[in-house]
Amino acid sequence: MLGLLETLSIILAVNAAWGLGSSCSAPMTGCTAAPGDPYWMQLIQHNGTSPYNTDPSTYQVYRNVKDFGAQGDGVTDDTAAINAAIAYGNRCGYGCQSSTTSPALVFFPSGTYLVSAPLLAYYYTEMVGDARSMATLLASPSFSGIAVIDADPYTADGEWYINQDNFYRSVRNIIIDLTQTPPTASSTGIHWQVSQATSLVNVVVNMSTAPDTNHQGIYMEDGSGGFMSDLIFKGGKYGIWVGNQQFTVRNITVNNAQIGIYANWNWGWTFQGVTINNCQVGMEIATGGSSVGGEVIIDAQVYNTPTFIQTTTAQRTTLGGSILLSNIYLSNVTTAVADPEGTVLAGGTTTISQWAQGNVYTGISGEYRYQQAALAAPYKPPTLLDSTGRIYARSRPQYTDYAPNQFQSVKAMGAMGDGVTDDTAAIQKTIDQASVYAGCKIIYFDAGTYYVTNTIRFPADTIIVGEVWSVIMGGGPVSSDAARPVPVVQIGTPGSRGVMEITDIVFSTRGPAPGAIIVEWNVGQTSQGSAGAWDTHVRTGGLDGSNLQYATCSSTNTTATPAECTASFLDVHITSGASAYLENVWLWTADHDLDTYGNGQLNIYTGRGLLSEAVNGPVWLIGTASEHHALYQYNVVNSQNFYGGLMQTETAYWQPNPLAPAPFYVNALYYDPLTYPSGKGWSLYIQNSIDALVYGAGFYSFFNDYDASCEANYTCNAQILNIINSYPVSIYGLATVATTYQLRVDNYPVVAAANDHDGFQNTMTAWTLY
């Protein structure tokens, strides 16, 4: 558990006058779980429901695998029992492309669960082990199947799910043990062919270290993700074998593997915090052609490994797989980078400050050089770094040593979560009487959809925990006026400072909601990273309860107007006095319907994605994405100390029909861009800011009003990223799709995408402006 004692001391110090109006008799003074107690999630009362399920009164969200017959004794074959726990109820499995109405939190009490075949992780499933004493999934000697956990099973007809749309799933606090299977068997821990809003957190995979081992920790062959963190892999032919459009991996350790990480293909990928010990090759990268587009690797430590990076082709003079290394410590590593022709970069015991393979740009000339050489490292503001000089990171808080009585359920305080009842008053009462601000409770949102018709105000020093992405959905007259936008949820008051922790929540709207600012984030940190959100998302349209689905908002519905299908004014607003640590946060305007058979295309209209105007910051966006907003996906304005890696965007599929900014209007109060090349929204717009660092980005524009023919000649969008009166700014590992110019400075096109052709996408390895 990272930072709990520090967090509690902050809470108590800030709230010396705790308890005014509180229902509690005393403040929390620490974590109160006894040493032998199970994790709070096993003991807490579970009142979660799925109001849009076909049978909401009986549908079971939380399920303990032992209640379905699993023994966890390491002897009994628990495969059938665990799969029964996952599948129970009318869930979205084979033949179902997606659904938000059958969520499941599958809990594994401490124990060892023998399995002989894959555990099939249905859509919208969280598989969670005891964080105090992690459950082990032990593959039997006769194990047969693609992996112990399978997130996208194959059949004779193909996969269960469309890999690019395989959203909303998580595995955490699990040990997978493959060591009982034969070394030569192709045993795999996790088949993780997934997309956005997915996570692997606190997972360990133990594998054979025999010379002929074929074991691997993760197999990922496709998808459009995604995020994972706090992973340990021991042994195996491959620690992990990965291919995906884009991904962020933070804090991964690989010990004693033949190849620590094998990168098969991507458009862009960021590894932040890598430790490799005693491997033969730290990372093998498939380069050339349509294989790996780009790898950004920062803050790595490599020990006793002959070769850190081995590429599969020699790219001595031309781009064929971009690589950016930053702050890499090597100890007893003979070769830092090698290709089939030999050594590209020598190793030793040394630190690589920064090194690049690829096309490097500086300033506004538009000229570049292809290099395999050292690259000047940018200035990294100390406020963005930890005490060791790495980019600061904070793991998802799980409240490992808290007791169930330290949580306050909003349903126990009168909220219904049924998607119908106006829960505004009940939720606000819970916050006001039992929040950490009042001195004593973590606010727990049992699974459900909580409809609110006025702003919900979470003061600084509040901790919020959801259950399988509990939904807070704003709507009603207060969200109806685009000229006077109003927050659905206000995080802190302007100028407030303290602790804010949000996990497992989805924020949304019931449309039309043209005046909704879905999340207004005001709180500033009192210690580094004290204000943050993890595995928390914004989802607008395309789900039951939103009133913005295929029946009304189909892309082929010629009678629907934008006014009927408008979902928000602005998704997330980080205000001027705030700071924020956002990890695995996806702001998605639905391009297709998750809950209607056929997943039909939608025209949903949201004005803006994420607006960050944190004057001093810091702001960390780690593994975030923002898609299909009309004006922009990210807008960084009047800001200082901004970090992003990997940032992923898509322009709205319906653009340029109508031309951006329509159906919205430019609003100077929210620093909207004034120009929109090709009639499309910006992916990233940085204006009047200093000290901005981007380590990995994937900015895509696939269509002109659903027509993909523009991809062939990079004309789906003229421009996608603009830097206005801002410096220093450093951008590394930028992958774009179907865009004529990758980068614009002060409204002048600078980096031509044609220079950086790198497979399907175009990859700019580095650009800096000082």
Side-chain angles (χ1 to χ4, degrees):
M1 177 64 197
L2 179 65
L4 280 175
L5 295 179
E6 292 86 349
T7 296
L8 287 169
S9 66
I10 293 165
I11 293 169
L12 296 173
V14 171
N15 294 300
W18 67 272
L20 182 63
S22 173
S23 62
C24 307
S25 59
M28 283 195 297
T29 56
C31 314
T32 63
D37 285 352
Y39 186 39
W40 63 265
M41 190 177 288
Q42 181 178 343
L43 301 176
I44 200 169
Q45 183 174 351
H46 290 277
N47 300 312
T49 58
S50 182
Y52 299 101
N53 190 269
T54 54
D55 191 2
S57 63
T58 63
Y59 183 79
Q60 183 177 341
V61 174
Y62 173 83
R63 55 279 304 268
N64 183 321
V65 296
K66 288 196 171 183
D67 292 337
F68 289 78
Q71 298 299 304
D73 57 11
V75 177
T76 306
D77 188 336
D78 286 326
T79 309
I82 295 171
N83 276 329
I86 296 170
Y88 180 70
N90 184 22
R91 300 213 61 217
C92 184
Y94 177 59
C96 168
Q97 291 184 344
S98 64
S99 172
T100 71
T101 67
S102 57
L105 196 164
V106 182
F107 184 75
F108 293 79
S110 181
T112 298
Y113 300 85
L114 185 69
V115 295
S116 57
L119 306 179
L120 307 181
Y122 281 44
Y123 196 94
Y124 228 95
T125 296
E126 291 191 354
M127 300 174 68
V128 183
D130 186 321
R132 308 194 78 202
S133 179
M134 291 167 61
T136 296
L137 303 178
L138 176 63
S140 71
S142 59
F143 183 89
S144 177
I146 192 169
V148 172
I149 295 175
D150 189 358
D152 195 2
Y154 281 89
T155 71
D157 300 321
E159 303 112 308
W160 277 18
Y161 308 109
I162 299 172
N163 62 77
Q164 298 93 336
D165 299 335
N166 196 8
F167 310 139
Y168 299 106
R169 47 185 67 249
S170 179
V171 176
R172 53 188 187 270
N173 312 329
I174 296 288
I175 298 169
I176 299 174
D177 192 335
L178 305 176
T179 60
Q180 300 299 307
T181 67
T184 54
S186 298
S187 300
T188 299
I190 302 174
H191 175 219
W192 200 242
Q193 186 175 229
V194 296
S195 299
Q196 289 85 354
T198 61
S199 63
L200 300 175
V201 177
N202 196 25
V203 174
V204 177
V205 182
N206 297 320
M207 295 167 279
S208 169
T209 57
D212 59 349
T213 180
N214 280 321
H215 293 184
Q216 55 188 4
I218 293 175
Y219 173 56
M220 176 194 293
E221 73 277 39
D222 216 328
S224 175
F227 175 82
M228 58 181 78
S229 70
D230 307 305
L231 311 172
I232 299 175
F233 301 92
K234 304 174 183 178
K237 182 176 181 179
Y238 304 109
I240 63 174
W241 194 107
V242 290
N244 193 289
Q245 289 178 7
Q246 66 284 314
F247 228 89
T248 302
V249 178
R250 189 188 59 70
N251 190 25
I252 179 175
T253 298
V254 185
N255 300 320
N256 303 307
Q258 293 180 8
I259 297 173
I261 299 166
Y262 180 78
N264 183 49
W265 79 277
N266 65 46
W267 299 342
W269 200 293
T270 294
F271 286 92
Q272 177 185 338
V274 178
T275 301
I276 294 175
N277 297 299
N278 301 307
C279 295
Q280 296 175 23
V281 174
M283 185 171 187
E284 184 171 341
I285 301 175
T287 52
S290 297
S291 49
V292 165
E295 300 285 355
V296 172
I297 307 164
I298 62 175
D299 300 334
Q301 302 175 78
V302 187
Y303 301 94
N304 304 318
T305 296
T307 301
F308 173 32
I309 291 178
Q310 174 75 53
T311 64
T312 60
T313 62
Q315 302 296 153
R316 300 293 177 104
T317 59
T318 57
L319 178 64
S322 170
I323 301 172
L324 190 286
L325 307 179
S326 181
N327 188 30
I328 312 296
Y329 174 71
L330 306 178
S331 177
N332 191 27
V333 175
T334 304
T335 305
V337 181
D339 67 16
E341 295 181 1
T343 297
V344 176
L345 177 64
T349 296
T350 186
T351 297
I352 302 170
S353 177
Q354 193 145 284
W355 185 92
Q357 171 178 297
N359 293 343
V360 173
Y361 299 79
T362 57
I364 61 173
S365 70
E367 298 178 356
Y368 70 94
R369 69 181 185 276
Y370 178 80
Q371 70 165 60
Q372 289 179 312
L375 184 66
Y379 172 69
K380 298 178 181 178
T383 190
L384 289 174
L385 307 179
D386 65 17
S387 60
T388 69
R390 303 169 122 200
I391 296 294
Y392 174 79
R394 184 178 174 200
S395 296
R396 170 193 168 122
Q398 298 202 64
Y399 314 106
T400 307
D401 296 323
Y402 282 70
N405 62 8
Q406 295 183 284
F407 293 77
Q408 179 60 63
S409 160
V410 295
K411 287 195 174 183
M413 296 287 284
M416 302 302 292
D418 59 9
V420 177
T421 305
D422 186 344
D423 283 327
T424 309
I427 292 173
Q428 197 63 58
K429 176 184 175 182
T430 307
I431 296 164
D432 294 343
Q433 293 190 5
S435 72
V436 174
Y437 175 76
C440 61
K441 298 288 184 180
I442 293 170
I443 306 300
Y444 185 67
F445 279 81
D446 316 81
T449 297
Y450 297 85
Y451 180 58
V452 299
T453 58
N454 214 329
T455 301
I456 299 296
R457 305 180 190 278
F458 292 101
D461 301 316
T462 299
I463 297 176
I464 307 155
V465 176
E467 183 181 34
V468 202
W469 302 291
S470 308
V471 178
I472 299 175
M473 178 177 284
V478 72
S479 300
S480 64
D481 190 352
R484 297 176 179 81
V486 174
V488 173
V489 172
Q490 185 185 68
I491 305 298
T493 55
S496 64
R497 298 171 65 80
V499 172
M500 181 62 63
E501 297 174 359
I502 305 174
T503 54
D504 251 344
I505 298 287
V506 165
F507 299 103
S508 190
T509 57
R510 175 165 295 161
I517 297 174
I518 299 177
V519 177
E520 181 184 276
W521 187 285
N522 297 296
V523 67
Q525 65 182 25
T526 47
S527 67
Q528 196 172 37
S530 69
W534 296 259
D535 293 329
T536 290
H537 311 288
V538 174
R539 181 175 67 215
T540 47
L543 72 152
D544 284 356
S546 68
N547 290 353
L548 301 168
Q549 293 186 266
Y550 189 74
T552 302
C553 302
S554 162
S555 61
T556 60
N557 186 347
T558 57
T559 64
T561 65
E564 295 175 89
C565 298
T566 298
S568 76
F569 176 89
L570 167 61
D571 278 10
V572 174
H573 184 191
I574 301 173
T575 60
S576 59
S579 65
Y581 180 93
L582 305 184
E583 184 174 277
N584 193 24
V585 172
W586 182 36
L587 317 181
W588 187 54
T589 305
D591 60 87
H592 63 277
D593 196 326
L594 296 176
D595 287 328
T596 298
Y597 180 78
N599 296 132
Q601 292 278 2
L602 300 175
N603 282 358
I604 303 296
Y605 302 92
T606 53
R608 302 148 184 89
L610 184 145
L611 169 61
S612 178
E613 52 171 320
V615 172
N616 295 310
V619 170
W620 297 269
L621 304 181
I622 297 177
T624 67
S626 181
E627 297 185 298
H628 311 144
H629 304 88
L631 279 72
Y632 58 77
Q633 315 312 318
Y634 297 94
N635 187 6
V636 179
V637 57
N638 300 331
S639 290
Q640 187 173 357
N641 305 319
F642 173 88
Y643 172 81
L646 184 143
M647 304 170 69
Q648 184 256 322
T649 70
E650 293 180 8
T651 54
Y653 294 172
W654 45 263
Q655 287 180 332
N657 181 24
L659 295 167
F664 302 89
Y665 297 95
V666 168
N667 189 324
L669 293 176
Y670 291 87
Y671 305 100
D672 289 341
L674 299 177
T675 60
Y676 299 87
S678 304
K680 295 189 175 184
W682 295 95
S683 285
L684 174 59
Y685 203 86
I686 301 177
Q687 48 183 321
N688 303 319
S689 296
I690 61 175
D691 292 333
L693 290 171
V694 176
Y695 274 92
F699 296 158
Y700 314 137
S701 189
F702 294 117
F703 304 104
N704 276 331
D705 191 16
Y706 295 99
D707 181 356
S709 62
C710 56
E711 292 177 4
N713 54 3
Y714 312 114
T715 58
C716 295
N717 207 350
Q719 315 276 352
I720 207 160
L721 189 163
N722 201 6
I723 312 294
I724 302 288
N725 190 34
S726 298
Y727 58 88
V729 177
S730 301
I731 298 174
Y732 303 102
L734 169 64
T736 63
V737 169
T739 296
T740 308
Y741 283 92
Q742 296 181 281
L743 177 71
R744 184 169 174 157
V745 179
D746 294 330
N747 294 312
Y748 180 79
V750 171
V751 176
N755 296 338
D756 300 328
H757 185 60
D758 190 21
F760 178 73
Q761 79 295 332
N762 301 284
T763 304
M764 182 185 77
T765 302
W767 175 85
T768 53
L769 179 66
Y770 294 102

